[in-house]
Amino acid sequence: MSEERFGSLILRREGSRASIVIDRPSKKNAIDEATWRAFTDAAAAIAADPEVAVVVVRGSGGAFSAGADIGEFVALAEADEMRREAFANAVRNGEEAVASIPQPTIALIDGACVGGGCQIALACDIRIAGSAARFGVTPAKLGIVYPVASTRRLVAAVGPSAAKELLFTGRLIDAERAAAIGLVDRAVQPERLEAEVDELAAAIAANSRYSLAAAKRTVDALGDPEPDLATLEALWRGGFSGEDLIEGARAFLDKRPPRFTWRRAQAPQPAS
């Protein structure tokens, strides 16, 4: 295992799996401006590593993230417009960096997942929570507004009515309710949380990197009003001439696990 630190984030690599750990346990992993900026750097490091097949995002010390670091907000409200713009850009860019990681991402959610923590969780592809986790979208309790991209992801996950209830009330909900409305994909007993994520990450990592990257790119693009269908079509067709198809088909016929070799440089490219 290798470990690299980006401010309050720890990036761990172990085989084909990488983990981004929010490491501010004394603050329940509240996300300050420096941490938002660190997400951009950590995500770039993962995207540049062709050996990483799957990414787990989690917090340290028994919490995912209690949200934004409120201690910064008073000074921010009193700052000039340029300073506020810089902060807003850091938040937006950090969240989008997580969403843009080309490998599949899993949020492992234990304890509090509130506000900015929900932003990061929703930016991940899959969310698995321990049954003791608690969720909330709380900008109305602070007199601020949830970011547009974050709200879009929230609506996509839970639907407009449930999104409005979360935003309007700022109430915390438990993991069972979060799973029922689609905020998380499933809630498991706390003692099963690590194993559940390990099993899911291993199942993903065993598959073709080309298929994973193309599938993520396709699903994400189809959420846009005007997706680039020609590029997505080329990704689909490109799989028919890929090295992983040859290996996958041979492994199936030989009744053995496949040993896929395709690795990405920056993004899956259509076959020429």
Side-chain angles (χ1 to χ4, degrees), residues 23-29:
D23 189 40
R24 302 185 78 208
S26 65
K27 297 279 190 178
K28 294 186 178 179
N29 300 321

Side-chain angles (χ1 to χ4, degrees), residues 22-270:
I22 309 170
D23 189 40
R24 302 185 78 208
S26 65
K27 297 279 190 178
K28 294 186 178 179
N29 300 321
I31 305 172
D32 61 359
E33 182 177 355
T35 306
W36 285 115
R37 296 186 186 279
F39 275 115
T40 301
D41 296 331
I46 290 170
D49 188 341
E51 294 307 314
V52 173
V54 62
V55 182
V56 175
V57 181
R58 61 184 302 167
S60 64
F64 186 79
S65 172
D69 191 332
I70 308 304
E72 294 185 323
F73 281 11
V74 172
L76 185 68
E78 296 173 346
D80 60 27
E81 184 175 352
M82 183 176 297
R83 177 72 192 87
R84 291 194 295 270
E85 281 292 306
F87 179 86
N89 289 339
V91 174
R92 179 197 60 201
N93 294 342
E95 179 182 347
E96 292 308 308
V98 175
S100 298
I101 292 172
Q103 298 94 332
T105 53
I106 306 167
L108 184 159
I109 305 169
D110 191 18
C113 181
V114 179
C118 277
Q119 287 178 243
I120 293 300
L122 285 164
C124 294
D125 299 312
I126 302 169
R127 289 165 294 283
I128 310 297
S131 58
R134 294 294 181 270
F135 300 82
V137 185
T138 55
K141 290 184 176 293
L142 296 168
I144 58 175
V145 179
Y146 218 43
V148 175
S150 313
T151 304
R152 180 185 293 116
R153 292 188 178 104
L154 178 64
V155 171
V158 307
S161 295
K164 288 175 181 177
E165 182 175 350
L166 290 168
L167 288 163
F168 292 170
T169 66
R171 291 174 181 163
L172 299 186
I173 62 173
D174 61 22
E176 182 179 355
R177 175 62 178 162
I181 65 175
L183 186 58
V184 299
D185 294 286
R186 56 185 176 272
V188 301
Q189 291 301 309
E191 63 272 16
R192 276 287 305 162
L193 180 57
E194 295 279 350
E196 191 84 8
V197 172
D198 287 346
E199 291 166 9
L200 177 60
I204 292 170
N207 290 325
S208 160
R209 310 286 176 87
Y210 182 88
S211 297
L212 295 175
K216 177 165 181 172
R217 187 167 168 182
T218 300
V219 172
D220 288 349
L222 291 176
D224 295 335
E226 297 182 1
D228 183 352
L229 296 178
T231 295
L232 301 183
E233 179 86 1
L235 285 174
W236 167 61
R237 293 177 183 275
F240 292 122
S241 60
E243 62 199 74
D244 277 2
L245 173 60
I246 297 172
E247 169 59 16
R250 285 175 175 168
F252 179 84
L253 295 172
D254 293 344
K255 296 181 172 57
R256 60 171 174 81
R259 295 180 292 273
F260 295 117
T261 56
W262 185 91
R263 297 293 182 268
R264 62 183 297 280
Q266 292 183 330
Q269 297 297 319

